[in-house]
Amino acid sequence: MRLRLIGLIVLVISLPLSLSIRSVARADEADIETTLGDEKATVDKDKQLRLDATARINAPADKVYDALTHPEKVAKYDARITDVKVVSHDAKSETVEYKGQTLPIPNAPPSFRVEYSFDPANKSVSAKNAGKSPIQFQNHTELKPSKDGKGTDIHYTGVSSSTGPIMGFEPTEGMRTQFALSAFMQQMHNVGMYIQKGGK
């Protein structure tokens, strides 16, 4: 009961933050920002959330792809992450362990492993939880140069299991959608910071 109350309090505090970054993820020291476009979310009979979203970042596709293929470096721009460790790495994949506020939800696990797969030919990156995890997820991000040549169009799809077991209550579809969008936009904010800092 106490855990549920704490989860509700944190949820009330965190939702306005999620909403505030819903439309634009801005790099603090840069004129690099991501603008969210269309989105569609559905929940199936197994309580899996599927999110389909488009966005645009005003940075070249090559630089955005470079950032997404270095998740351990990009994560350093996320104040919620206290430690990042590369567990395994090769030319087409990487497994990274994150510690801290690993997910944008109340009662998030203190550490979380993610397995990434890279496709340079199509400038796409896929990610899924690695090993045992209270939340199962997989997502796919595709990049294309924008028609005006000044930015990158992003197509993001993600499927995730219910966060209810961690939070202590079953969140609504709207809450889960906001959490998923918040995670995506936070990642793109960090990508913008990584690019602004010259890929460091």
Side-chain angles (χ1 to χ4, degrees):
M1 182 71 174
R2 184 178 178 186
L3 192 61
R4 178 178 291 187
L5 179 61
I6 292 172
L8 283 169
I9 291 171
V10 175
L11 178 64
V12 169
I13 293 171
S14 65
L15 269 180
L17 177 60
S18 297
L19 291 170
S20 70
I21 66 170
R22 183 176 181 278
S23 297
V24 176
R26 185 182 304 266
D28 295 337
E29 300 174 15
D31 189 25
I32 297 175
E33 57 188 35
T34 301
T35 305
L36 186 63
D38 296 329
E39 62 179 85
K40 180 181 180 182
T42 56
V43 176
D44 66 19
K45 60 182 178 59
D46 297 318
K47 297 183 179 179
Q48 289 193 115
L49 174 76
R50 178 181 174 84
L51 175 65
D52 195 311
T54 61
R56 177 175 291 190
I57 184 169
N58 60 333
D62 287 343
K63 289 189 176 183
V64 178
Y65 180 73
D66 172 71
L68 291 175
T69 57
H70 291 90
E72 77 288 355
K73 294 181 180 180
V74 169
K76 293 177 182 179
Y77 296 99
D78 192 332
R80 301 169 306 176
I81 302 300
T82 58
D83 187 54
V84 183
K85 179 174 124 180
V86 176
V87 178
S88 64
H89 173 79
D90 60 41
K92 293 187 177 181
S93 68
E94 183 169 286
T95 298
V96 180
E97 181 176 39
Y98 302 94
K99 292 184 180 179
Q101 181 68 29
T102 55
L103 298 169
I105 61 171
N107 308 321
S111 66
F112 202 74
R113 287 189 178 189
V114 180
E115 181 183 331
Y116 298 90
S117 299
F118 312 128
D119 183 351
N122 295 306
K123 284 192 169 51
S124 67
V125 176
S126 297
K128 64 180 181 178
N129 58 284
K132 293 182 179 180
S133 169
I135 294 181
Q136 304 293 309
F137 79 91
Q138 55 184 354
N139 60 52
H140 184 73
T141 306
E142 294 182 2
L143 309 175
K144 290 185 179 179
S146 59
K147 290 181 180 179
D148 61 12
K150 297 180 180 179
T152 303
D153 290 332
I154 305 163
H155 183 203
Y156 172 89
T157 56
V159 178
S160 58
S161 63
S162 172
T163 55
I166 291 178
M167 297 174 67
F169 67 97
E170 190 60 42
T172 66
E173 180 178 329
M175 290 177 182
R176 290 180 63 188
T177 300
Q178 287 302 320
F179 289 139
L181 285 172
S182 174
F184 169 61
M185 294 300 281
Q186 180 65 52
Q187 180 192 31
M188 298 315 299
H189 165 86
N190 299 339
V191 163
M193 292 301 297
Y194 171 88
I195 294 171
Q196 172 64 19
K197 296 292 185 179
K200 298 179 181 178

